[in-house]
Amino acid sequence: MARKAIIEREKKRALLVEKHAQQRAELKRMANDPQRPFEEQMEARRRLHLLPKNSSHVRQRNRCFATGRPRGYIRFFGMCRIVFREQALLGNLPGIRKASL
């Protein structure tokens, strides 16, 4: 199980990403628009740089909802491979069965 602090940190990142998503998208659009003057593009990049680092969506890490494990994450189910296997063997995932049976 992942440490509680790491799980909480990921929750904070998710909130920051949601909070700044619209502003970040607008600034990125302005910074990458070749029709705008160079000074405007640089100003947009400067303002983008002033936003919190954790407001960028690429800093988020997918984690298992049950254990917080970051590795072996199955995106479709939102859980790691270990929890997925346990739930599948218990029959809690409809339509999933062992391939060898």
Side-chain angles (χ1 to χ4, degrees):
M1 175 118 188
R3 288 189 357 238
K4 300 279 187 210
I6 294 174
I7 295 170
E8 291 303 314
R9 184 186 313 153
E10 285 297 325
K11 288 178 184 175
K12 277 187 186 177
R13 280 188 186 139
L15 290 174
L16 271 176
V17 168
E18 186 180 328
K19 178 180 177 183
H20 294 285
Q22 188 175 5
Q23 183 182 11
R24 182 173 281 277
E26 179 65 24
L27 287 172
K28 284 189 75 94
R29 188 185 59 73
M30 288 171 54
N32 295 327
D33 185 7
Q35 304 301 322
R36 292 192 178 271
F38 181 74
E39 290 78 21
E40 260 186 60
Q41 289 180 359
M42 288 299 111
E43 177 62 21
R45 288 172 202 257
R46 187 188 68 77
R47 287 179 42 209
L48 191 61
H49 182 72
L50 293 176
L51 290 175
K53 281 189 207 176
N54 285 334
S55 69
S56 176
H57 73 93
V58 297
R59 291 179 66 98
Q60 286 183 299
R61 180 83 163 137
N62 289 330
R63 290 188 174 271
C64 175
F65 77 92
T67 61
R69 191 172 197 276
R71 305 244 179 140
Y73 179 81
I74 303 170
R75 185 180 298 183
F76 186 79
F77 295 98
M79 59 182 79
C80 66
R81 61 185 175 81
I82 298 165
V83 174
F84 174 79
R85 186 165 191 261
E86 290 171 359
Q87 295 301 313
L89 290 175
L90 290 173
N92 293 340
L93 301 174
I96 305 296
R97 64 187 184 102
K98 283 187 69 175
S100 60
L101 292 179

